[in-house]
Amino acid sequence: MPHDLPKAYDPTHLEDHWAEYWVREKLFDQPAPSPGDAPAAHPFTILLPPPNVTGRLHMGHMLNQTEMDILTRWHRMRGDTTLWLPGTDHAGIATQVMVERLLVAEGTSREALGREAFEARVWQWRDQYGKAILDQMKRLGASVDWSREYFTMDENLSVAVREAFTRLYHQGLIYRGAYVVNWCPSCQTAISDLEVVHEEELGKLWEIRYPVVGEAGQFLTIATTRPETMLGDVAVAIHPEDERYLHLHGKKLLLPLLNREIPIVLDSWVSRDFGTGAVKITPAHDPNDFALGERHNLPSINVMDAAAKINEAGGAYQGLDRYVARKRILADLDALRLLGAVHDHKLSVGRCDRSKDVVEPRLSTQWFIAVSKRPAEGKPSMAETAIAAVTAGADGEKPIQFTPAMYEKTYLNWMENIHDWCISRQLWWGHRIPAWHCAACHKITVPQPGQAADPSVCDHCQSAEITQETDVLDTWFSSGLLPVSVFGWPFLNTSGAPGLDSETGERGSVDFQTFYPTSLLVTGFDILFFWVARMIMLGCWFAQDVPLADGSKRPLSESVPFRDVYIHALVRDANREKMSKMKGNVIDPIEIVKKYGTDAVRFTLASMASPGTDIAFNEARTEGYRAFANKIWNAARFIFMNVDRAAEVGIKVDRSMLGSMPFVCDPAPLEARWIAAEFHKTAAEVNQFLANYRYDDAANTIYQFFWGSFCDWYLEIVKIRLDFSEGADKGSTEAALTTLLSTFEASLRLLCPFMPFITEEIWQAIYDGTPPEESVALAGYPNGTFKDSATTTEMSQLQSLITDIRSLRKDLEIAEKLSVDLLLADTHPSASFDLELLIDKNLLILQRLAKVSNVSVVPKLDEPNVRTMGFIDFQFIYEKEIDFPAERERLTKDIAKLEKNIATSEGTLGKPGFTAKAPANIVEGLKKQLEENHLLLAKAKAALEALPKDAQ
Ligand SMILES: [Zn+2]
Ligand SMILES: [Zn+2]
């Protein structure tokens, strides 16, 4: 006997309970298979995009996690070997900045603490707060394997980072060099192109006159948007064919303010149309100038320090902030009469995505991955491999599929134009680069792959005076390795001896062989290049060296980090506006969950999620799905109550039907056969929709089934069969209850991936403490196989008849409770539809759902009082019962309303000058309305008068 559910549905309580239960019982753990195990059937692997340790859950996470959880639960219930792997990212800059702020508040600083103490402090912060976001995930019921939770700075993942670096270095794919990088003066580190946000801003274009050496009174005028960089000018370039400047070929200029002689160089890269056609060349502060400088063998003079203050190379301007220096320089040039015209100028300004500070292109020494370099003759580069990974191979299959497909183009376009990846960051928090500088020979020592110990002497001169590089690696370097590193790559010997582990070795662990490639990545567009592209680059690169389980060479299709990429949409507010703190329209998922329950919020997101469509999150919708949950809850209570009542009179439900697919055939009553067929149809559709990422269609199909078919129709009809009276047909009641309970149980399984909490609560209650599995999430997912079109047709005819009768009753204002007699005439032109038979077979249902008593089909119905719907004529036979008190109230209300309208109209018409000023048609309309209202008032008064005086 199912246990009692509380009367009211209270999501908070039950969700807390089950969320805790799922984690405690480790229901979703997927242990590593043992070496002897049979290969897993249909493994489904999915990596959680690791949130930053500094992160808090936002609506985007909630959508992303809902989509992942639905698919993961669906696969698990279908019997696939399912693994959803969670973790957090150490988030280099973000975390360092956050802890630095804390230190400032405490009156100290990173520098005062020193590197080691600072790192310790960050670890301490991470242990205390860094799991907040995962705790939120646990509460939201994400069905991940918590036993595998990782942190990108964990020991084993750090080993992978070091191995990847050393392999690439010794393959000649990592180099160190001085280049102009995007420098953020606030974060004081190089940042990648992707971390720079470009926006059009209004600035100025200043013309500055550079005196020609040895030609008194001769100048060459340049134009610049950043005059402070002139301190680092080493040349001025002109186009070789620019006729305006032919006379200056071979001449030199005197750099104003610093009085340094600089050459005029000829380069066809110079645009004759921009500015004056003469370009100052500052190789240390502009990537194009740097390239030009290389071509012409020019020196580079860096004039700014890490904070973008002018350094010693800037002469009198040393120590000034770049913008203070700019003002001073312009004033000084003006005083020297070297400042020419000043134009307003729109320019693209790059700002740091994090600090919003203006990025300063600045020459510095950094580490790079040569992504387009081929490591050996005939071996493709990293970028070429990453392109092949999304391009159809010889078999016509693409190793990686993008959904929506348009992102494939975006990805390819970026990959085809990719620059070398600057992987070094001037931070203290992160994976420190495993390279050592020699003080004696100034060369670099990088340990060999597989070598666990740090080098103690220089590889080149054997000097012991070596120190480790202070830079750390870009955060995306480690997260790009996750698909391989979480499954044990690089399988190194843990005993400390160099090389591969003898157990797992080059074949990789069983874990790797089972779960790699992962099946699916669900992520946002914003990290398509940062993360998705880097995982493809690094994943393919390193996995290709791990043979397949049978020892054969791993093809590209098995080396990719994932087979499918699903790029999810944005969650916007109800007005389709992007959520932003500035606009104050940010919806906190935790608040919404508190208000409506996780299930309702998940269902809201699912019901609107489809590839490429942004979601306009509307709370009213969530309220609606809270009502949906409530409807299911009440259905459960109704069913349980009837099972209990049946038990009291000795009727036992056949529980052997539970856990399978509902299957009912003749001679069962129509509604039983119909709900079984409906269920199969729904289940088949939902599976199909989920296979195509149509979360919205899947959710809406289940909703229609549960609310419409199951609750509104089936449950109403089945009440007829639940007869517990003396002498009733027990067999029929038992059969009805069995179908009812088993269909309901199967429906809960169908809904489980979308609403895991309420389905768990009710499903457990069905089994009253002895469920066949520990959780509904481990039970089988229904799939539809069975069709019964005769039943479906019959039911839909009956439904439309009932709907018609209901709507006509409403039209005729027939009291809801009044049962009426009904005459029907079928005017269908074809004879295929037998109205009489339909009614004959289903009179009980018709009587109950349409509130009718005697129903007869006659050949023809004559006016008056005949109503027609479709091909059926209806005539209702009933005595109009009048509810006198209600009628009195209605008439009194009508009279009051009419009197008020009349007073208003008369007031308007009576205003002096109104009839003269207002348009004639308006005055006419008002007069006519007034006349009608007088008439209606008289009628209502008469009707009220006619009501029996003493009737209550
Ligand atoms: Zn910054
Ligand atoms: Zn050396």
Side-chain angles (χ1 to χ4, degrees), residues 437-445 457-463 465-466:
H437 299 283
C438 176
C441 73
H442 303 292
K443 286 186 179 162
I444 291 168
T445 298
V457 295
C458 170
D459 268 359
H460 312 278
C461 74
Q462 311 307 314
S463 161
E465 273 184 86
I466 56 169

Side-chain angles (χ1 to χ4, degrees), residues 342-419:
V342 183
H343 307 278
D344 284 336
H345 180 67
K346 260 199 193 142
L347 70 165
S348 166
V349 175
R351 289 179 182 272
C352 169
D353 196 19
R354 190 160 306 282
S355 67
K356 311 299 171 210
D357 201 358
V358 175
V359 165
E360 192 67 41
R362 179 169 174 267
L363 187 69
S364 67
T365 303
Q366 304 286 345
W367 294 84
F368 294 85
I369 296 185
V371 290
S372 306
K373 183 178 167 188
R374 295 181 170 178
E377 259 310 296
K379 214 186 163 208
S381 70
M382 210 179 254
E384 285 168 329
T385 309
I387 287 167
V390 296
T391 313
D395 57 356
E397 298 283 326
K398 291 173 186 169
I400 298 175
Q401 297 268 2
F402 275 91
T403 303
M406 61 168 178
Y407 287 114
E408 182 188 302
K409 221 177 178 178
T410 317
Y411 166 88
L412 282 175
N413 187 43
W414 186 75
M415 198 56 84
E416 278 155 7
N417 296 291
I418 195 168
H419 298 285

Side-chain angles (χ1 to χ4, degrees), residues 179-399:
Y179 286 89
V180 176
V181 295
N182 303 300
W183 185 268
C184 174
S186 290
C187 304
Q188 301 218 350
T189 176
I191 57 177
S192 77
D193 291 345
L194 293 168
E195 290 162 304
V196 183
V197 183
H198 289 276
E199 255 178 67
E200 282 248 305
E201 292 183 18
L202 193 64
K204 299 249 188 262
L205 187 66
W206 287 275
E207 291 186 356
I208 304 172
R209 300 194 291 165
Y210 286 18
V212 181
V213 173
E215 314 246 343
Q218 286 261 30
F219 298 93
L220 178 56
T221 304
I222 59 94
T224 179
T225 58
R226 294 190 297 152
E228 65 279 7
T229 60
M230 71 180 287
L231 302 173
D233 281 2
V234 296
V236 168
I238 52 178
H239 194 280
E241 286 147 31
D242 193 333
E243 295 185 347
R244 291 170 291 180
Y245 301 128
L246 291 175
H247 63 288
L248 292 176
H249 288 195
K251 298 269 160 67
K252 286 193 169 186
L253 299 170
L254 191 68
L255 180 67
L257 307 176
L258 295 183
N259 295 326
R260 179 162 73 225
E261 280 192 12
I262 55 173
I264 293 171
V265 296
L266 308 178
D267 198 291
S268 47
W269 164 80
V270 177
S271 157
R272 279 172 275 188
D273 310 323
F274 180 77
T276 59
V279 186
K280 63 192 250 349
I281 300 301
T282 327
H285 292 281
D286 183 283
N288 290 317
D289 292 8
F290 183 79
L292 189 141
E294 297 262 279
R295 287 200 288 278
H296 296 269
N297 274 322
L298 297 168
S300 296
I301 304 174
N302 190 341
V303 297
M304 286 183 212
D305 66 11
K309 283 188 176 143
I310 304 299
N311 64 17
E312 67 285 349
Y317 304 94
Q318 182 177 358
L320 296 180
D321 171 79
R322 56 184 162 167
Y323 298 122
V324 177
R326 177 182 293 183
K327 274 191 189 157
R328 188 82 61 82
I329 285 167
L330 289 169
D332 291 349
L333 288 170
D334 200 25
L336 293 168
R337 298 177 171 275
L338 293 174
L339 193 60
V342 183
H343 307 278
D344 284 336
H345 180 67
K346 260 199 193 142
L347 70 165
S348 166
V349 175
R351 289 179 182 272
C352 169
D353 196 19
R354 190 160 306 282
S355 67
K356 311 299 171 210
D357 201 358
V358 175
V359 165
E360 192 67 41
R362 179 169 174 267
L363 187 69
S364 67
T365 303
Q366 304 286 345
W367 294 84
F368 294 85
I369 296 185
V371 290
S372 306
K373 183 178 167 188
R374 295 181 170 178
E377 259 310 296
K379 214 186 163 208
S381 70
M382 210 179 254
E384 285 168 329
T385 309
I387 287 167
V390 296
T391 313
D395 57 356
E397 298 283 326
K398 291 173 186 169

Side-chain angles (χ1 to χ4, degrees), residues 662-677:
F663 182 76
V664 182
C665 56
D666 253 350
L670 174 68
E671 80 279 357
R673 284 178 282 127
W674 173 72
I675 199 65

